[in-house]
């Protein structure tokens, strides 16, 4: 599953891109809040939405006290100068406010009568190429099977379901992934599909890689955390996207070589899922070239860091 245990200090990360992410989120929420924030109207899911906001407020005011403060029922963000009612008046506001506090997207998985965890609430503003509406209420298995996640049924399904069932509030986990994106859309990848055509699910089958240049290609890496909320018992999944032009990350020592190596190790199923045929012709020669330059310049004599691949 590629998961590891999470230190509480690293649950929510903030960086210098906060304002850009925040402005993008606010714009999306103002444009169409229902497309980005939703919840199933039952007791446990309502409670879970309020709990997300409570947990984040607790965490952020302690972890980032210069940025977030809570006084007299008002949560303040000193960077954006926003003020939010605390507690929130409705589950929807709890979720949309939560979305504005952090750079991450949020999904809540709630146990349903069929014994499966379902995506029963979310605040999803920066997904890249899927819409909350398309996945809303889906079970963990359906979510992954419909997205065509490689080897899900034979390798992941059983262990993931068992893991979800047994998770306790004191043992959060994280995992990282990465995708290659054909454009610079943080909120939506326009080369994957028409955002306005809401009936069309965006995928590599609808992708347009015509006249692609190396400058278009972006590296999208998600840092995902998963924890059980103590009151509602729902599972809170956060998706923190790191998004950079490939030409930027390829400047880092070791990255071009390691990334090209990881891509070349993919089997056919993974290559298909990651849309390799759309970008490999441009990206792999570029990475090889950059790697050669790093070898020649002695840049690889430095110690290797950690990469999400
Ligand atoms: C232990 C937890 C989880 C594991 C191990 C896992 C595993 C995976 C893997 C291997 C993929 C393929 C891409 C990648 O490497 O990320 C994937 C994709 C996906 N997962 Fe999960 N997943 C987990 C939890 C969740 C949860 C809670 C959701 C609920 C929203 C979710 C929604 C998705 C979606 C929508 C995709 C498809 C993305 C796309 O290709 O469009 N996953 N997952």
């Amino acid at each position: 599953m590629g998961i590891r245990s999470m230190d509480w200090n690293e649950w929510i990360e903030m960086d210098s891109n906060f304002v850009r992410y925040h402005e993008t989120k606010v714009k999306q929420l103002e444009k169409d809040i229902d497309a980005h924030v939703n919840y199933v109207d039952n007791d446990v899911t309502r409670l879970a939405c309020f709990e997300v906001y409570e947990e984040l407020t607790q965490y952020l005011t302690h972890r980032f006290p210069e940025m977030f403060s809570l006084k007299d029922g008002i949560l303040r963000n000193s960077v954006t100068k926003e003020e939010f009612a605390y507690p929130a008046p409705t589950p929807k506001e709890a979720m949309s406010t939560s979305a504005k506090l952090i750079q991450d997207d949020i999904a809540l998985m709630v146990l349903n009568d069929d014994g499966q965890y379902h995506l029963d609430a979310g605040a999803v503003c920066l997904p890249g190429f899927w819409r909350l509406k398309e996945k809303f209420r889906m079970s963990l298995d359906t979510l992954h099977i419909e997205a065509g996640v490689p080897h899900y049924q034979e390798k992941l399904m059983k262990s993931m379901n068992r893991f979800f069932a047994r998770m306790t509030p004191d043992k959060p986990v994280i995992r990282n992934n990465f995708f290659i994106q054909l454009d610079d859309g943080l909120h939506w990848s326009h080369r994957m599909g028409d955002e306005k055509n809401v009936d069309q699910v965006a995928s590599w089958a609808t992708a347009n890689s015509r006249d692609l240049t190396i400058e278009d290609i972006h590296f999208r890496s998600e840092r995902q955390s998963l924890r059980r909320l103590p009151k509602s018992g729902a599972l809170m999944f956060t998706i923190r996207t790191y998004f950079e032009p490939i030409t930027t990350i390829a400047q880092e020592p070791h990255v071009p070589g390691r990334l090209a190596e990881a891509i070349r190790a993919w089997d056919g199923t993974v290559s298909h899922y990651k849309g390799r045929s759309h970008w490999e012709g441009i990206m792999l020669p570029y990475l090889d070239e950059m790697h050669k330059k790093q070898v020649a310049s002695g840049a690889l004599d430095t110690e290797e860091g950690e990469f999400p691949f």
Side-chain angles (χ1 to χ4, degrees), residues 24 38 99 122 174 197 209 223 234 261 300 307:
T24 309
N38 207 352
I174 48 173
N197 186 357
S209 47
R223 180 183 165 277
E261 192 186 341
L300 302 191
F307 309 114

Side-chain angles (χ1 to χ4, degrees), residues 109 135 138-150 152-153 156 160 164 175 224 237 273:
M109 304 299 289
K135 319 255 183 214
M138 275 187 186
S139 70
L140 186 69
D141 291 344
T142 310
L143 272 170
H144 288 93
I145 293 166
E146 285 226 340
V149 170
Y152 181 75
Q153 274 141 300
L156 288 169
M160 273 172 65
F164 272 53
R175 69 181 289 270
Q224 306 170 337
F237 187 61
Y273 176 70

Side-chain angles (χ1 to χ4, degrees), residues 174-223:
I174 48 173
R175 69 181 289 270
N176 296 83
N177 67 13
F178 76 91
F179 298 94
I180 302 301
Q181 189 171 315
L182 304 179
D183 55 48
D184 63 355
L186 171 64
H187 153 70
W188 184 261
S189 168
H190 33 274
R191 276 186 182 263
M192 287 297 267
D194 182 359
E195 187 187 357
K196 294 198 184 80
N197 186 357
V198 291
D199 298 325
Q200 186 197 61
V201 173
S203 74
W204 289 110
T206 56
N208 166 18
S209 47
R210 230 175 300 130
D211 305 324
L212 191 72
T213 67
I214 194 67
E215 284 74 26
D216 293 325
I217 300 180
H218 278 61
F219 182 81
R220 173 180 274 262
S221 174
E222 296 171 349
R223 180 183 165 277

Side-chain angles (χ1 to χ4, degrees), residues 106-178:
I106 304 166
L108 287 178
M109 304 299 289
V110 179
L111 186 61
N112 280 215
D113 292 342
D114 61 359
Q116 280 261 318
Y117 282 86
H118 288 247
L119 175 48
D120 280 356
V124 178
C125 300
L126 312 172
F129 38 85
W130 57 278
R131 302 173 179 92
L132 180 59
K133 183 180 137 230
E134 289 160 11
K135 319 255 183 214
F136 192 56
R137 300 205 76 167
M138 275 187 186
S139 70
L140 186 69
D141 291 344
T142 310
L143 272 170
H144 288 93
I145 293 166
E146 285 226 340
V149 170
H151 312 298
Y152 181 75
Q153 274 141 300
E154 71 276 23
K155 286 199 183 150
L156 288 169
M157 188 162 86
K158 228 168 128 192
S159 40
M160 273 172 65
N161 279 281
R162 196 180 320 121
F163 183 78
F164 272 53
R166 292 183 183 167
M167 262 200 110
T168 51
D170 58 327
K171 295 221 166 58
V173 292
I174 48 173
R175 69 181 289 270
N176 296 83
N177 67 13
F178 76 91

Side-chain angles (χ1 to χ4, degrees), residues 1-67:
M1 290 192 288
I3 52 176
R4 54 196 194 280
S5 59
M6 185 190 84
D7 186 302
W8 281 111
N9 281 329
E10 52 172 12
W11 181 37
I12 302 296
E13 284 183 351
M14 297 281 177
D15 66 20
S16 55
N17 291 317
F18 178 85
V19 172
R20 178 163 71 99
Y21 279 50
H22 180 267
E23 282 173 357
T24 309
K25 282 181 164 205
V26 169
K27 199 168 137 200
Q28 295 309 321
L29 292 169
E30 281 172 357
K31 210 158 58 174
D32 187 353
I33 189 167
D34 297 337
H36 299 289
V37 180
N38 207 352
Y39 69 99
V40 176
D41 199 9
N42 60 30
D43 288 350
V44 67
T45 313
R46 275 196 299 270
L47 177 62
C49 293
F50 287 123
E51 202 179 2
V52 164
Y53 185 34
E54 276 169 32
E55 289 285 326
L56 282 173
T57 300
Q58 270 279 333
Y59 186 87
L60 295 170
T61 52
H62 286 87
R63 179 86 177 77
F64 305 104
E66 306 81 32
M67 188 165 171

Side-chain angles (χ1 to χ4, degrees), residues 18 188 228 242 261 272 304:
F18 178 85
W188 184 261
R228 188 180 295 282
Y242 296 81
E261 192 186 341
H272 177 75
E304 274 187 80

